[in-house]
Amino acid sequence: MTSATTPAQPVPPSTTAKTRSAFRTWRRTRPFWGGLLILLAAGPILYFPYASLSLGALRIQMATTAGAGSAVIGLLLIALGISCWFQPLIRVFAGIATIVLSLVSLPVSNFGGFGLGLIFGILGGALVCSWAPLKEEPLETEEQFEAAAAQVAQSVATQPVPAHTPAAHADTDVVLPSQQAAEADTAQQPSAAPEPQEESKSVE
């Protein structure tokens, strides 16, 4: 047996492929990207009010008196983003609450994390509100497919073969127009009258 005649063996999927397939299936059943944007919106809102930059001997702090409000908004956005992933049924409420919190962060948390948290929050809330689950179509299992194939093969095998009769051949004969015209002329010509036979006269 050579390599050309050896039947091909299916390659078993690796663990990475199985993990990616499971994650893809999980991601498609929930507003994943909207929830991810909501989590990204919480980052700038939480970071900038408590951040400090050092430029040589100069230290710059961007903390505000409303730092507690920024912390509350950021933690609520994180909770809403995770809830969208694990509880897709509350997506409308989570989306509207995210948009409201993003707008509130505009005066409270350094203009919504210098606009980053505001933009991510509004986009994430809109995506979560507009997401809708797809109707899952029932997939045929391998056993159902084999049963359907066997049923079709059985129906084809038991189907009677039609007999070819002369009438069937006659119905399928092709008549040319020239043949039709010749047959019509033959039918229209009168049959020739028989010639009268002379009576034999008896010789007296």
Side-chain angles (χ1 to χ4, degrees):
M1 180 180 291
T2 62
S3 60
T5 58
T6 303
Q9 299 293 332
V11 179
S14 61
T15 305
T16 306
K18 291 181 180 180
T19 305
R20 291 181 61 184
S21 178
F23 175 72
R24 188 183 300 110
T25 303
W26 178 83
R27 175 173 55 84
R28 291 177 177 177
T29 57
R30 62 206 66 244
F32 176 78
W33 299 111
L36 182 61
L37 288 177
I38 293 174
L39 292 177
L40 292 177
I45 293 175
L46 281 174
Y47 174 75
F48 288 116
Y50 300 97
S52 60
L53 300 177
S54 298
L55 299 176
L58 181 62
R59 186 177 181 181
I60 302 174
Q61 288 186 350
M62 290 178 289
T64 61
T65 56
S70 300
V72 171
I73 292 174
L75 293 176
L76 286 176
L77 288 177
I78 293 175
L80 290 173
I82 296 176
S83 299
C84 291
W85 285 352
F86 296 98
Q87 294 293 334
L89 296 177
I90 64 170
R91 61 185 182 276
V92 177
F93 167 76
I96 295 174
T98 299
I99 294 174
V100 171
L101 290 174
S102 300
L103 295 176
V104 170
S105 69
L106 185 62
V108 172
S109 177
N110 293 328
F111 300 103
F114 295 104
L116 296 176
L118 176 66
I119 294 174
F120 287 154
I122 291 176
L123 290 178
L127 286 177
V128 168
C129 287
S130 61
W131 182 86
L134 295 176
K135 294 182 179 180
E136 297 183 358
E137 298 181 357
L139 299 177
E140 293 185 355
T141 61
E142 186 177 356
E143 295 179 356
Q144 294 177 348
F145 180 77
E146 292 179 356
Q151 184 177 2
V152 171
Q154 184 179 2
S155 62
V156 172
T158 57
Q159 186 176 5
V161 180
H164 296 284
T165 58
H169 287 289
D171 293 339
T172 58
D173 290 342
V174 179
V175 180
L176 299 176
S178 59
Q179 295 178 357
Q180 293 180 353
E183 292 177 359
D185 294 341
T186 304
Q188 289 178 359
Q189 289 179 359
S191 58
E195 295 180 358
Q197 297 179 356
E198 295 181 356
E199 296 180 356
S200 60
K201 294 181 180 181
S202 62
V203 180
E204 293 179 355

